[in-house]
Amino acid sequence: MTSNTTNEIDIVRASTSKIDAVDFENLTFGNIFTDHMLICDYKNGAWEKPLIKPYEPFLIDPSAKVFHYGQAIFEGMKAYKDENDAVWLFRPDENHKRFNHSAKRLAMPEIPEEIFINGLHEILKIEKDWVKKGKGNSLYIRPFMIAIGTGVIAQPSTQYRFMIILSPARSYYSGEVKVIIAEHYSRAANGGIGAAKAAGNYSAQFYPTKLANEKGFQQIIWTDDATHTKLEEAGTMNLFFRIKDTLYTAPTSERILDGVTRKSLIEIAKKEGIAVEVRSVLVSELIEASKDGSLMEIFGAGTAAVVNPVVGFSYQDTYYELPKLENSFALLLKEKLTNIQYKIDDDTFGWTVKVK
């Protein structure tokens, strides 16, 4: 191992790399990790100096509050490599802002920009060879924070650990995606933590999603907790509905995550002259539009999936298939977005940030 220090970060480099043993053409999402990770602890009311070190397990006390009271948040981001071998981030400021929103909601300390953003740049400079060129290739970035303070008393921790780990990625979903509309289970409730990217939000989805999988569906379209009449999110994705030639998506709220991909697609759609309405969409509207032929598309949007079309949905044991379109908004918007991310087209929005 070799060590060096920047002004803000200590760096211990791995003596060897495992990159040559990785089959980048056959990756399972989120299973392979790069040679290094960033770690930074919060103790005595302040953040310590970050450290980039070889990726490895670490010890943690069995009474750490993350195990008992669920103080755990994370983000999902990607790095992309252009044809000139430059590495780019996509709207990292939005991820940093959302991370701190999640931290505040779970009574965790906010992470300073110099640790979050500078940490991203430093670790990506070290791991740049793990970012492969070509559309569909990326390096998935997982910043997260957990409560490491000890004791089983039910109160917020006083010690936390912020980390960044990296995983080479290709597409998240494969094959056709069919969804079932939730009639009983809820993803989140008003006043809850649905708008935070908290670990508990995802574990709560696993059981109802398992039931949906057993019926042949890949994901659930979540509905509002009070009436189950308003369409919200699907699994790990924000949702868009195309009725005739207008795109509809639910507004962000205490129940719905403020997706970076979602807000980017809205801006791209408007620039392309596509009508977009941000409002609640009712289950009854969707059924009626499907029956009269005006429902053209449903697609999910998220960092991992980017854009993922839905081929059909089920509600009250009736299955509704969507038409196959040549002029798909989903595919158009996906191409426009990924062309910006991979620096194929000009970034007129100013979203991409070069890793230097």
Side-chain angles (χ1 to χ4, degrees):
M1 295 185 185
T2 59
S3 300
N4 65 291
T5 302
T6 70
N7 290 334
E8 299 91 8
I9 300 174
D10 289 332
I11 300 171
V12 179
R13 290 180 178 266
S15 55
T16 60
S17 175
K18 57 193 177 219
I19 191 170
D20 291 338
V22 176
D23 182 359
F24 284 89
E25 296 301 316
N26 295 285
L27 293 169
T28 300
F29 186 88
N31 275 11
I32 302 294
F33 296 93
T34 66
D35 297 316
H36 298 85
M37 62 186 187
L38 180 143
I39 184 168
C40 185
D41 285 352
Y42 179 90
K43 295 178 180 179
N44 301 316
W47 287 101
E48 298 181 341
K49 192 172 187 179
L51 169 66
I52 293 175
K53 61 181 292 188
Y55 184 96
E56 61 184 1
F58 58 87
L59 292 175
I60 188 168
D61 195 285
S63 71
K65 289 184 182 291
V66 64
F67 298 137
H68 303 276
Y69 302 110
Q71 279 184 293
I73 61 172
F74 66 94
E75 271 300 314
M77 312 168 63
K78 284 181 179 178
Y80 309 87
K81 183 173 281 185
D82 67 20
E83 288 303 311
N84 297 314
D85 289 322
V87 177
W88 297 83
L89 288 163
F90 183 74
R91 307 189 78 174
D93 56 320
E94 291 289 340
N95 293 100
H96 175 236
K97 182 170 69 175
R98 188 171 65 181
F99 192 86
N100 279 342
H101 172 81
S102 299
K104 184 176 180 180
R105 182 61 184 84
L106 270 74
M108 304 170 82
E110 296 184 26
I111 189 85
E113 182 178 350
E114 59 266 24
I115 295 176
F116 190 98
I117 300 295
N118 291 358
L120 285 171
H121 281 264
E122 289 301 323
I123 195 169
L124 286 169
K125 284 193 288 186
I126 293 171
E127 305 288 48
K128 61 182 182 299
D129 291 342
W130 288 81
V131 192
K132 298 302 181 182
K133 289 190 290 191
K135 261 195 172 185
N137 295 317
S138 62
L139 188 63
Y140 184 76
I141 303 167
R142 173 53 63 89
F144 64 99
M145 191 200 309
I146 57 173
I148 60 172
T150 58
V152 295
I153 186 171
Q155 64 185 27
S157 177
T158 58
Q159 298 181 25
Y160 297 88
R161 178 160 294 168
F162 170 73
M163 297 187 67
I164 300 174
I165 56 177
L166 310 171
S167 178
R170 291 178 68 84
S171 60
Y172 186 64
Y173 293 109
S174 60
E176 294 185 339
V177 175
K178 298 178 181 179
V179 297
I180 187 168
I181 296 176
E183 299 176 55
H184 172 69
Y185 293 103
S186 299
R187 177 190 174 273
N190 284 332
I193 60 171
K197 206 162 175 64
N201 289 341
Y202 294 79
S203 60
Q205 295 184 39
F206 292 159
Y207 176 67
T209 301
K210 176 178 177 288
L211 298 180
N213 294 161
E214 290 170 354
K215 294 181 179 180
F217 298 91
Q218 286 70 47
Q219 287 290 351
I220 296 172
I221 292 183
W222 301 103
T223 49
D224 68 289
D225 63 299
T227 67
H228 292 291
T229 61
K230 299 175 183 178
L231 300 162
E232 300 200 328
E233 295 184 329
T236 58
M237 302 179 289
N238 293 116
L239 276 176
F240 287 85
F241 306 91
R242 177 184 172 185
I243 298 176
K244 296 182 179 177
D245 283 330
T246 298
L247 277 181
Y248 299 88
T249 190
T252 56
S253 67
E254 291 180 312
R255 301 187 308 274
I256 297 178
L257 195 69
D258 186 13
V260 178
T261 304
R262 169 192 174 274
K263 64 177 65 176
S264 302
L265 292 178
I266 290 172
E267 291 194 49
I268 293 171
K270 289 178 178 177
K271 185 179 180 182
E272 293 298 311
I274 297 171
V276 181
E277 290 190 23
V278 179
R279 67 164 176 82
S280 295
V281 178
L282 301 177
V283 176
S284 57
E285 281 186 86
L286 197 70
I287 301 299
E288 183 180 349
S290 180
K291 288 180 176 179
D292 68 22
S294 60
L295 177 62
M296 310 304 292
E297 295 180 83
I298 302 173
F299 58 92
T303 299
V306 186
V307 172
N308 204 262
V310 172
V311 299
F313 67 93
S314 176
Y315 181 66
Q316 294 183 342
D317 296 323
T318 300
Y319 181 70
Y320 301 85
E321 192 161 349
L322 276 79
K324 292 180 171 59
L325 303 177
E326 291 184 5
N327 62 333
S328 164
F329 284 180
L331 298 182
L332 170 67
L333 295 175
K334 181 177 183 177
E335 181 180 21
K336 294 290 182 181
L337 178 58
T338 54
N339 280 357
I340 291 171
Q341 292 170 331
Y342 288 92
K343 306 302 288 184
I344 295 169
D345 291 342
D346 290 337
D347 175 15
T348 58
F349 298 96
W351 289 335
T352 52
V353 177
K354 190 174 184 179
V355 175
K356 298 180 180 179

